[in-house]
Amino acid sequence: MKLNKIKTILEESGRKQTYIADKLGMSYQQINEWCNNKRQPSLENLYKIAEILDVEVQDLLIDKKEIEPDE
């Protein structure tokens, strides 16, 4: 299940995962796990990512409607 849209936001902005890794001082592997929804960033890191990408935290989160099937 996808819980974040970090990868989508990065692609839309023309940036790569290494951009966030460099800004946060973290490994590419950690960012890759977040981008592929294998792990989720802490709330603190989610806020940092939003700031780095100049988006709102809500923009990084999957809308509940996107994960619930239509009735």
Side-chain angles (χ1 to χ4, degrees), residues 2 13 15 23 25 32-33 35 40-41 46 48-49 51-52 67 71:
K2 290 184 178 183
S13 68
R15 294 185 175 122
K23 293 284 187 181
N32 185 266
E33 288 179 353
C35 287
Q40 297 304 314
L46 201 58
K48 288 178 182 178
I49 293 166
E51 185 176 320
I52 290 166
I67 59 174
E71 293 184 36

Side-chain angles (χ1 to χ4, degrees), residues 58-69:
Q58 296 88 329
D59 297 333
L60 295 172
L61 302 174
I62 296 295
D63 187 357
K64 188 175 179 181
K65 294 175 198 167
E66 293 182 36
I67 59 174
E68 291 182 354

Side-chain angles (χ1 to χ4, degrees), residues 2-8 33-37 39-41 46 60-62:
K2 290 184 178 183
L3 297 176
N4 73 63
K5 299 190 295 187
I6 297 170
K7 186 175 185 176
T8 302
E33 288 179 353
W34 295 344
C35 287
N36 290 302
N37 283 283
R39 300 186 80 184
Q40 297 304 314
L46 201 58
L60 295 172
L61 302 174
I62 296 295

